[in-house]
Amino acid sequence: MTDHNNFDFEAFKQAAIKGLYEGKPLTGEDGLFAPLLKHFLESALEGEMDNHLLQSRVSEQNRRNGKTTKRVKSSAGLLDLQTPRDRTGSYQPQLVPKRQVVLTPQLEQKVLSLYSVGNSYADISQHLLEMYGYTLSDSELTAITDKVIPAMREWQNRPLESLYTLVWLDGIYYKVRQEGKVVTRVLYSVIGLSLSGKKQVLGIYTAESESAKFWLSVLSDLKQRGVEDLLITCVDGLKGFDTAINSVFPAATVQLCIVHQLRNSFRFVPDKLLKDFAKDLKGVYQAPDREQGMENLLLVQEKWGHSYPKAVQPWLEKWELLSPFFEYPAAIRKVMYTTNTVEGYHRQLRKVTKTKGAFSSDVALQKLVYLTIQNLQVKWETTTYNWKEVINQFSIIFEERIKPHRFD
């Protein structure tokens, strides 16, 4: 028979009443409720052990084998719990699992919530000190935030829809510590627009630098997870990107981002001339059709090409990849010729990650980005603006390619 019922409630009551008169807190570090909570928890663990022995005795000769002390954080402060052990080591505590150092699920949820909006471990500790009267060490906070890793892995490998009307692909740079040095890493972002008009982050990937070769592995991953077709992809001007996309999704239209190209060109033109130059370029990408766009580009070349070749030449060299949007109606053009969607997503990530100097690892970076995406997904539940008109046009232009796929 165990002694977990031998708790002196009378002595506890007297001590608690005395403590109240002395102004001691009920909860928090050294709170008056700590002994009672400790008793309840230890009684529950002993009850678990009794039940475990009863169930395992049929198949094996198992019995108690002393106790271990485990320190946990709770709403009543720090507690040293006496956890029973069994001879075979088959008992797994349910109430306070082996590696759990914090008792309340609400507290863990609070930590994850603070972490997901960009608070550092120091910020979170300070917050917990103010709210609950104790702090958690960096390693304890890591243990809590690491709980999202299995969910993150599952999310990263989840099956995707068979077709996306539009996919934006871009990279964003971060600093990560590696073997004592701070190195630059690229976080690859892939955002898809589904047939129901909703945006989804399809995956997060990290690599040392942005390259067409790595994008190839990203696109292959999308295919393995069930994507059969991409109608249109909107990308930055990375060399070889179009070849990488078409080797995995041969029918996809590759559109270079006009906004990226404009920014690159503006870097080579003096500020005082920028307004005029931008106005002339507008005549190129806002032309009614591809032929008129090309004519207007030749006029830009004539006027500006000699003085600022680096601002104009890329438009001519990349015209095949910059001009596909002309083939589509205005509603689709508006969605496809800019990576605004992915840039808006990157702004959200920066908001959350700007407090970080360098991440401790790729996983630490991915963990925070994953939590940010979960927060963003709520906002993204709304359908894309003007979607009915856009999807009607997609359905006419890509009728044969859309037909085999589920359409809500």
Side-chain angles (χ1 to χ4, degrees):
M1 180 67 189
T2 61
D3 62 353
H4 53 269
N5 289 320
N6 298 341
F7 181 73
D8 194 337
F9 280 97
E10 197 52 43
F12 165 75
K13 191 169 78 174
Q14 297 302 326
I17 292 168
K18 183 171 180 282
L20 280 173
Y21 280 109
E22 289 171 359
K24 285 187 178 176
L26 294 173
T27 59
E29 206 71 45
D30 302 321
L32 296 171
F33 283 165
L36 185 62
L37 181 60
K38 176 176 156 68
H39 166 68
F40 283 157
L41 290 169
E42 287 178 347
S43 297
L45 290 168
E46 293 289 351
E48 279 183 18
M49 176 59 89
D50 286 345
N51 191 45
H52 175 70
L53 290 176
L54 203 63
Q55 291 190 355
S56 64
R57 206 162 276 154
V58 181
S59 56
E60 51 183 300
Q61 287 302 306
N62 196 5
R63 58 178 187 271
R64 289 174 177 275
N65 188 30
K67 295 179 183 182
T68 55
T69 302
K70 173 177 178 167
R71 177 164 285 197
V72 294
K73 311 266 182 177
S74 78
S75 54
L78 279 172
L79 299 176
D80 287 321
L81 294 182
Q82 297 294 306
T83 307
R85 287 189 307 199
D86 63 341
R87 201 71 185 270
T88 61
S90 56
Y91 167 59
Q92 298 288 336
Q94 299 300 303
L95 188 65
V96 190
K98 275 190 174 168
R99 276 172 287 280
Q100 187 163 330
V101 292
V102 178
L103 283 178
T104 58
Q106 295 88 339
L107 183 62
E108 292 191 354
Q109 204 44 54
K110 186 75 188 165
V111 168
L112 286 175
S113 167
L114 288 166
Y115 182 74
S116 74
V117 292
N119 286 285
S120 67
Y121 285 164
D123 294 336
I124 297 170
S125 280
Q126 184 58 36
H127 192 86
L128 294 178
L129 187 61
E130 289 165 10
M131 282 190 69
Y132 300 100
Y134 58 74
T135 61
L136 294 172
S137 69
D138 280 7
S139 61
E140 289 168 327
L141 286 167
T142 301
I144 292 172
T145 58
D146 276 355
K147 289 193 169 188
V148 307
I149 291 175
M152 178 180 84
R153 295 278 181 248
E154 195 178 316
W155 175 85
Q156 280 178 317
N157 296 314
R158 76 196 188 282
L160 298 173
E161 294 185 23
S162 57
L163 176 135
Y164 289 91
T165 58
L166 231 146
V167 173
W168 293 270
L169 305 111
D170 204 357
I172 182 171
Y173 290 82
Y174 283 102
K175 298 288 182 193
V176 172
R177 284 191 199 90
Q178 203 176 59
E179 295 168 7
K181 287 188 291 192
V182 173
V183 297
T184 301
R185 304 291 275 167
V186 183
L187 180 87
Y188 286 82
S189 305
V190 184
I191 298 176
L193 187 59
S194 69
L195 279 169
S196 57
K198 290 180 181 175
K199 286 175 288 194
Q200 304 164 9
V201 179
L202 305 186
I204 47 177
Y205 310 84
T206 46
E208 284 170 26
S209 61
E210 194 177 5
S211 69
K213 190 180 173 188
F214 191 82
W215 272 119
L216 188 60
S217 68
V218 169
L219 292 154
S220 302
D221 177 62
L222 299 182
K223 189 150 202 174
Q224 280 171 354
R225 287 162 57 204
V227 181
E228 293 165 19
D229 197 3
L230 307 176
L231 300 181
I232 298 166
T233 59
C234 189
V235 303
D236 63 19
L238 182 71
K239 194 170 168 56
F241 212 156
D242 54 316
T243 315
I245 292 168
N246 290 139
S247 66
V248 184
F249 298 102
T253 297
V254 180
Q255 170 67 51
L256 279 198
C257 172
I258 299 288
V259 175
H260 270 74
Q261 196 55 55
L262 284 170
R263 279 198 204 125
N264 287 341
S265 295
F266 292 163
R267 282 168 39 220
F268 300 104
V269 178
D271 288 351
K272 60 180 180 181
L273 301 173
L274 211 46
K275 199 175 173 188
D276 279 349
F277 179 69
K279 189 182 171 191
D280 289 348
L281 265 184
K282 201 180 247 189
V284 176
Y285 62 87
Q286 288 195 350
D289 53 49
R290 189 180 277 198
E291 289 70 28
Q292 188 62 54
M294 188 64 197
E295 274 181 39
N296 293 350
L297 179 55
L298 291 171
L299 292 173
V300 171
Q301 157 78 350
E302 208 175 293
K303 182 175 172 184
W304 301 93
H306 183 68
S307 305
Y308 308 105
K310 287 189 175 175
V312 180
Q313 202 55 35
W315 287 82
L316 291 159
E317 288 168 3
K318 298 175 182 176
W319 184 246
E320 282 307 303
L321 293 171
L322 283 165
S323 57
F325 72 91
F326 282 118
E327 294 167 23
Y328 301 95
I332 294 179
R333 277 189 204 186
K334 206 168 184 177
V335 199
M336 74 179 278
Y337 77 47
T338 168
T339 52
N340 275 354
T341 298
V342 82
E343 288 185 5
Y345 160 65
H346 284 170
R347 269 196 303 279
Q348 295 292 333
L349 293 188
R350 287 274 185 231
K351 239 187 243 178
V352 172
T353 56
K354 66 184 175 192
T355 54
K356 309 272 184 252
F359 286 87
S360 56
S361 65
D362 278 3
V363 172
L365 166 59
Q366 289 177 355
K367 205 163 59 169
L368 185 53
V369 169
Y370 164 73
L371 288 166
T372 307
I373 290 164
Q374 302 316 300
N375 292 340
L376 272 181
Q377 206 58 53
V378 179
K379 292 180 188 172
W380 284 8
E381 279 307 302
T382 53
T383 308
T384 300
Y385 172 73
N386 201 21
W387 183 245
K388 277 190 178 168
E389 188 186 343
V390 174
I391 194 59
N392 278 333
Q393 292 176 357
F394 269 128
S395 300
I396 295 163
I397 299 164
F398 297 105
E399 186 184 0
E400 291 308 310
R401 283 167 67 188
I402 287 177
K403 207 183 280 179
H405 302 275
R406 193 173 58 82
F407 200 164
D408 294 333

